Amino acid sequence: MVRMRDIYLLKFGGNALGDDGMERLCREVAALTEEGVSIVMVHGGGPAINAEMERLGMKPVKVAGKRITDEAGLEVVEKVLRGINAEVVRCLEDAGVRAIGMPGYFLSECRRDGPQTVVDEGREIEVDYGLVGEVVKVDPQVVYDLVDERIVPVIYPVGSDGEQHLNVNADSMAAGIAAGIKVKEMIAITDVPGILRDVHDPSSKIDTVTLKQIDALIADGTISGGMIPKVDACRRAIEAGAEAVRMVNGKDPDSIITDVIKGIPHGTLIIR
Ligand SMILES: Nc1ncnc2c1ncn2[C@@H]1O[C@H](COP(=O)(O)OP(=O)(O)O)[C@@H](O)[C@H]1O
Ligand SMILES: [Mg+2]
């Protein structure tokens, strides 16, 4: 049976949280779940994956914010993400939250990306990402059953097309899950205050942006790199019916997610 619930999906990147950020985020999640808020988490691990690849003499390459991934790269991705996932679950448990870690392929089906044309830095680029995919189908019941028991699913972005595992950008995984479980809100926690008009100027934050404005910001190069899959993810979540999609700063000293969930706006709100 599929029921509608008020589920908040939190996505955070490997760079997003400051030194004590993970503990703080987990404490906020603890307080919110205590109040009955249903939370699902999806995390990435970009910097740790880069570090491990470099340690092994591999060269990390990203185009338009997504990692080009071969078999050896996928092995590193899976190993590093599994480790981070276990740490996140432990941190939640330490904060008193019941949590369960799982890969994306536990509840979704993915399709491998074909060669394609993308826009980065305002320029068109031909790219074949290799063993990279997007979520095409989700089994929402997995999430519903857990959140009904007040258990927080913590998902790491490795998918499968039924034949092989695929690396999925964490924002893309979050968007696919958000669409598949019909979240109320998706909150992308990142290392910038929101979408900036000038990446080097945190005060140039855009408070509210429409999907149409986002297209223009990608075309003129204002939005580039990792911000591209992030805004694509926001678009997918909105088109799937999310009431609100936001981007917030994981290094915010006051409140990472509690304020926005309680209706005090910060970061960037993405609207239709
Ligand atoms: N217009 C923009 N506003 C904010 N950040 C941007 C913009 N364009 C590109 N970026 C980059 O996107 C990065 C966030 O994406 P990413 O590095 O993939 O982090 P995450 O781990 O949160 O996915 C920012 O740190 C910033 O360098
Ligand atoms: Mg990213």
Side-chain angles (χ1 to χ4, degrees):
M1 188 178 51
V2 177
R3 290 149 295 187
M4 270 297 258
R5 294 167 183 73
D6 288 347
I7 300 177
Y8 291 78
L9 186 144
L10 312 180
K11 185 268 166 178
F12 55 100
N15 264 335
L17 303 161
D19 289 338
D20 62 340
M22 195 65 234
E23 284 78 17
R24 285 179 44 220
L25 179 64
C26 291
R27 282 199 297 275
E28 289 189 39
V29 169
L32 289 160
T33 47
E34 193 67 32
E35 290 175 30
V37 177
S38 295
I39 290 178
V40 176
M41 294 166 89
V42 177
H43 66 82
I49 293 166
N50 289 348
E52 180 62 4
M53 287 179 84
E54 274 158 13
R55 195 183 69 82
L56 296 168
M58 298 158 75
K59 195 173 149 37
V61 182
K62 284 192 176 186
V63 175
K66 283 169 57 170
R67 187 183 302 283
I68 295 179
T69 310
D70 61 10
E71 242 168 80
L74 182 63
E75 225 172 276
V76 175
V77 165
E78 291 209 57
K79 181 182 67 179
V80 172
L81 288 175
R82 257 198 311 268
I84 296 173
N85 190 263
E87 278 173 34
V88 176
V89 168
R90 188 161 350 105
C91 186
L92 284 165
E93 285 171 347
D94 287 348
V97 180
R98 292 168 72 203
I100 186 161
M102 63 183 79
Y105 57 77
F106 197 80
L107 73 164
S108 72
E109 271 173 42
C110 289
R111 186 169 52 217
R112 188 173 162 175
D113 289 353
Q116 58 192 288
T117 308
V118 296
V119 177
D120 198 5
E121 313 279 348
R123 284 193 314 266
E124 287 193 356
I125 307 165
E126 295 290 325
V127 59
D128 183 347
Y129 284 105
L131 296 175
V132 172
E134 295 284 338
V135 176
V136 289
K137 200 172 156 206
V138 174
D139 176 3
Q141 202 62 47
V142 174
V143 170
Y144 298 158
D145 288 347
L146 291 170
V147 297
D148 279 357
E149 295 294 325
R150 292 227 190 157
I151 297 170
V152 174
V154 183
I155 300 162
Y156 65 93
V158 174
S160 168
D161 64 3
E163 305 213 322
Q164 59 192 343
H165 286 181
L166 296 168
N167 183 18
V168 181
N169 174 276
D171 288 305
S172 311
M173 176 60 75
I177 306 274
I181 65 176
K182 306 246 174 277
V183 293
K184 180 178 170 75
E185 290 202 15
M186 181 172 87
I187 304 172
I189 305 166
T190 184
D191 63 344
V192 284
I195 299 177
L196 307 171
R197 288 203 178 279
D198 171 1
V199 190
H200 305 292
D201 178 7
S203 73
S204 69
K205 178 172 74 78
I206 304 174
D207 294 331
T208 306
V209 68
T210 65
L211 296 179
K212 205 160 162 206
Q213 288 168 333
I214 282 177
D215 290 335
L217 293 170
I218 294 174
D220 73 9
T222 303
I223 288 176
S224 66
M227 195 46 76
I228 294 176
K230 215 176 291 301
V231 294
D232 283 345
C234 295
R235 178 189 310 278
R236 186 163 178 196
I238 287 173
E239 285 173 351
E243 274 173 35
V245 174
R246 303 171 197 282
M247 226 173 270
V248 302
N249 189 350
K251 296 185 173 104
D252 191 307
D254 302 321
S255 153
I256 303 172
I257 52 163
T258 310
D259 276 4
V260 291
I261 287 179
K262 302 223 158 159
I264 304 164
H266 58 107
T268 296
L269 176 67
I270 296 101
I271 57 173
R272 192 174 278 274

